[in-house]
Amino acid sequence: MMIVMRPLRRWLGVLAAGGLLFAAAAAGEMPREERRSGFDFMSDATKAMQRDDTLNPGMLWLLEGEALWRRKAGSANRSCADCHGEAAASMRGVAARYPTYDIREARAIDLQGRVNACRVRHQDAPPFGHETPELLGLVAYVANQSRGMAIAPDSDERLAPFRENGRRLFNERLGQLHFSCAQCHDDLWGERLGGSVIPQAHPTGYPIYRLEWQAMGSLQRRLRNCLTGVRAEPYAYGAQEYIDLELYLMERARGLALETPAVRP
Amino acid sequence: MARVLITVPEHAKPGEVIEIKTLISHPMETGYRAGADGRPLPRDIIRRFTCSYNGVEIFRADLFPAMSANPFIAFSTVVTETGTLTFTWQGDNGFNQTETATITVS
């Protein structure tokens, strides 16, 4: 019954708005009070695993990140800490507002992109590869400094076109199965896909330790999973599409608490 | 060196039962999977975990391919005296890691 109800309500919303396209998009988005982190959809055992830092395998990556934060690197022979000091103070709140606008590249960049930009520009070191323990560890360590804080996206106006592109991608049908992100995560969350509960797709705890992966992974890796799930060809790692999607997803998750390092099934 | 997270209470009373928790980063590759090129990935697992308390072995576990990556092992022991807990993980490809933790008994 519920499967029918939500899309129905969506279309009723469209009709009430007189068929305006703009209103249709707004009607499809979930009301703020219904927003729930993926954490709420998990089993008690997996929740316990995330809550307890002595049990959460993501903490192993965090340890790596903390060591890297203090280690000098590159021909500049400089560590993150040499410029930024204690991460607990300087990095607090950073992950809650990313992605942000990078003036030099004139585009939106995510936290991973920022870490690698810092390495190239200020440490004179080669960037870390995608999904390496070094990059995941550093990003997790930085994001962990904002744990418990509400997601508060950057209000920089230059981000608007990128965020709008993310919204478009989220609502665009893709792949051989011809599904959009919104069809599952706006309309059918709480229902089941095979044996798994469909969550609302809020990026509240990235990088996450995913039990299916037996490892930590970035939001980009997770989005690639969804893309191959609808049998679309995933964008290459680091593609602007992922960052645009992240911008939109963070706006959509505004106000939810950050959980890094989250554990997901 | 694999990253390790060990949780042991710093202080305890004699006779008290304490819980010890360990987490180690390790891929625990089963040996039954194929890589991207279709070839089997060789097995790479931790085979044995031991914990000794002031040189006396108090806990041992054998690990097998079905165990998940980054194995978490928790157990309990009775506290007798101030001393050192030594944790050792041994496995394929010469994997051998030892970590220590101290506990003060009063």
Side-chain angles (χ1 to χ4, degrees):
Chain A
M1 190 56 195
M2 285 306 286
I3 296 175
V4 182
M5 281 304 287
R6 282 205 203 94
L8 191 66
R9 196 173 56 201
R10 182 179 185 178
W11 291 115
L12 284 175
V14 177
L15 287 174
L20 283 171
L21 264 174
F22 174 77
E29 282 161 25
M30 72 186 63
R32 185 158 300 231
E33 63 278 7
E34 280 185 23
R35 287 179 210 177
R36 285 157 63 195
S37 159
F39 181 86
D40 295 349
F41 297 91
M42 304 199 302
S43 70
D44 288 345
T46 317
K47 281 182 183 170
M49 199 172 182
Q50 175 174 326
R51 273 201 204 102
D52 185 350
D53 281 349
T54 65
L55 235 162
N56 185 338
M59 296 309 287
L60 296 168
W61 273 258
L62 233 87
L63 285 176
E64 173 84 28
E66 188 176 7
L68 282 171
W69 181 265
R70 300 177 203 290
R71 192 181 304 156
K72 292 187 189 297
S75 36
N77 197 30
R78 218 179 280 160
S79 72
C80 308
D82 286 343
C83 290
H84 297 288
E86 283 302 310
S90 62
M91 292 296 124
R92 184 159 167 75
V94 169
R97 65 179 163 82
Y98 258 70
T100 189
Y101 189 79
D102 186 76
I103 297 167
R104 196 154 347 163
E105 293 188 29
R107 65 183 182 95
I109 66 167
D110 58 4
L111 209 44
Q112 310 186 58
R114 172 63 71 214
V115 167
N116 271 337
C118 243
R119 274 182 71 79
V120 173
R121 292 174 200 168
H122 305 301
Q123 291 181 306
D124 222 351
F128 293 125
H130 292 288
E131 306 303 306
T132 53
E134 291 83 7
L135 186 57
L136 291 170
L138 255 180
V139 172
Y141 178 63
V142 169
N144 181 246
Q145 310 305 324
S146 308
R147 181 155 68 171
M149 292 178 74
I151 290 174
D154 194 339
S155 57
D156 191 327
E157 279 176 14
R158 292 169 294 187
L159 289 169
F162 297 99
R163 189 173 288 133
E164 193 47 42
N165 190 43
R167 180 199 302 271
R168 184 186 65 76
L169 290 167
F170 191 81
N171 289 287
E172 182 180 62
R173 286 171 176 260
L174 285 167
Q176 289 180 323
L177 297 187
H178 208 48
F179 278 136
S180 71
C181 314
Q183 282 177 295
C184 278
H185 297 291
D186 273 351
D187 297 344
L188 294 174
W189 61 265
E191 304 298 337
R192 280 173 183 273
L193 179 65
S196 315
V197 179
I198 302 171
Q200 294 178 350
H202 294 304
T204 47
Y206 284 88
I208 58 167
Y209 187 87
R210 195 167 182 222
L211 301 179
E212 185 186 313
W213 295 335
Q214 299 265 296
M216 205 155 207
S218 70
L219 177 60
Q220 295 196 8
R221 183 172 177 187
R222 186 66 193 83
L223 291 171
R224 285 170 73 89
N225 266 196
C226 265
L227 286 166
T228 49
V230 300
R231 299 188 200 155
E233 190 180 335
Y235 311 110
Y237 272 114
Q240 189 63 37
E241 281 87 349
Y242 292 126
I243 299 161
D244 294 355
L245 268 168
E246 183 175 353
L247 267 167
Y248 173 63
L249 289 174
M250 289 293 271
E251 179 58 47
R252 194 168 158 272
R254 179 187 284 274
L256 290 176
L258 224 67
E259 301 163 32
T260 310
V263 176
R264 291 291 182 267
Chain B
M1 283 282 278
R3 294 269 166 214
V4 174
L5 209 66
I6 296 169
T7 315
V8 177
E10 280 177 34
H11 304 278
K13 292 189 175 67
E16 194 180 333
V17 176
I18 58 159
E19 190 185 27
I20 297 166
K21 296 192 266 191
T22 69
L23 190 61
I24 186 167
S25 63
H26 195 284
M28 294 295 279
E29 187 57 57
T30 62
Y32 301 125
R33 300 197 309 160
D37 58 0
R39 292 189 188 173
L41 294 167
R43 193 187 75 182
D44 179 17
I45 62 168
I46 294 172
R47 300 291 305 281
R48 172 159 288 191
F49 167 77
T50 53
C51 174
S52 53
Y53 186 0
N54 282 345
V56 181
E57 186 176 287
I58 55 164
F59 183 85
R60 179 170 69 217
D62 288 334
L63 285 83
F64 296 92
M67 287 170 179
S68 70
N70 313 309
F72 171 78
I73 299 171
F75 53 96
S76 50
T77 191
V78 178
V79 173
T80 50
E81 57 196 8
T82 296
T84 308
L85 290 154
T86 309
F87 305 88
T88 309
W89 293 261
Q90 289 169 306
D92 296 333
N93 304 319
F95 185 87
N96 194 329
Q97 186 151 344
T98 301
E99 300 283 337
T100 57
T102 52
I103 183 161
T104 311
V105 178
S106 53

